[in-house]
Amino acid sequence: AAGGGWAAARRAVGAASGVCREEGSEPLSQARRLVPLCSDAAAAGGALLWAHEGLQRGALGRRSDASEDEEAPEAQVGVVMAVAAAQPALLRQCCAVLSARLRQLQGGLALQKRLVDCVISLLARGVVAPVMEALGEVASSSAADFSLARHVALRLLAVVAPPYAPPFAASLLALLRQPRLKEAFGASFGEASQAAARQRQPLVETVRHIGAEHPPLKEGAAAWLFEMGVADTSE
């Protein structure tokens, strides 16, 4: 049954791609034709498969035209988000497609930040554990640019607010305690600078809240504050 479903999806997206080839075979043109079809479940599944395969080809460097380096991934990400908007049942699959490309940390910094933003947007749709897992991997990777690590934390804290459920508070604190992330907000950015202190402030407030409201996490929160050279005012 699953194979038949994928076959139907491939036929649906194949028909769309055939129309696209009348205008040109570039991903941007195909994406424009696929987005309106995402209201159909089978076509949406096919569109998601198209985006996944394209993003993976791009990450592996299998491009036929260097001019596609920026346009193609953006078009493919746009299709994934169109599927997410139209098909709630495919939200986790959308997260998996975006996360698979994000984890590879390939492409320009702008694309990586765009992927982070899209993954984080799925939190509001109820996709919590897979999103936090993907962000945690990026925040802990030694290959992640410091500005990307900071973007992960600041964008995440911009869209979540207390009170936090205990499991989410634990996963959020674990993410913020990643050594790479602490380094991005610490010594590498100039611990004594006012700019660093301002950028760290949302993290400081969040960690203080977690320590105050979640007793099992108080020790970990205090350790983070100490490591970042911030006074613990929870007592």
Side-chain angles (χ1 to χ4, degrees):
W6 277 116
R10 283 184 179 277
R11 285 195 297 272
V13 79
S17 296
V19 174
C20 291
R21 281 193 291 271
E22 296 175 5
E23 299 181 356
S25 60
E26 68 275 8
L28 190 59
S29 175
Q30 291 189 4
R32 281 197 296 264
R33 302 303 297 269
L34 289 172
V35 167
L37 301 178
C38 290
S39 58
D40 176 81
L48 193 58
L49 179 63
W50 173 87
H52 172 66
E53 292 176 345
L55 286 168
Q56 291 306 302
R57 280 196 301 272
L60 294 172
R62 296 199 299 266
R63 304 182 184 90
S64 59
D65 185 348
S67 67
E68 293 183 359
D69 284 8
E70 295 183 4
E71 283 190 351
E74 184 63 33
Q76 291 147 0
V77 170
V79 168
V80 176
M81 297 312 293
V83 173
Q87 301 292 337
L90 294 177
L91 285 172
R92 285 182 174 267
Q93 289 89 331
C94 290
C95 182
V97 169
L98 296 170
S99 299
R101 177 61 190 262
L102 177 60
R103 286 183 171 102
Q104 296 176 42
L105 295 173
Q106 297 292 321
L109 188 58
L111 172 62
Q112 293 174 30
K113 289 183 176 181
R114 164 80 165 140
L115 288 165
V116 167
D117 292 347
C118 290
V119 168
I120 288 175
S121 74
L122 298 178
L123 275 174
R125 307 287 303 280
V127 186
V128 179
V131 167
M132 295 302 290
E133 180 182 350
L135 296 179
E137 288 189 27
V138 173
S140 65
S141 174
S142 60
D145 185 273
F146 281 145
S147 66
L148 179 64
R150 290 193 292 270
H151 186 77
V152 167
L154 294 174
R155 285 295 298 158
L156 178 60
L157 296 184
V159 301
V160 300
Y164 304 124
F168 183 78
S171 64
L172 180 56
L173 181 61
L175 186 150
L176 297 178
R177 293 191 69 189
Q178 291 291 344
R180 182 69 172 179
L181 193 58
K182 289 190 294 184
E183 190 178 2
F185 280 96
S188 65
F189 195 55
E191 288 180 343
S193 73
Q194 292 183 346
R198 284 195 300 271
Q199 281 219 323
R200 284 198 299 261
Q201 193 56 34
L203 283 71
V204 171
E205 293 174 357
T206 297
V207 172
R208 281 177 172 161
H209 173 85
I210 290 174
E213 298 299 322
H214 300 274
L217 302 176
K218 183 176 181 179
E219 184 177 346
W224 184 92
L225 293 168
F226 176 79
E227 291 160 2
M228 298 300 290
V230 178
D232 183 358
T233 59
S234 62
E235 296 296 338

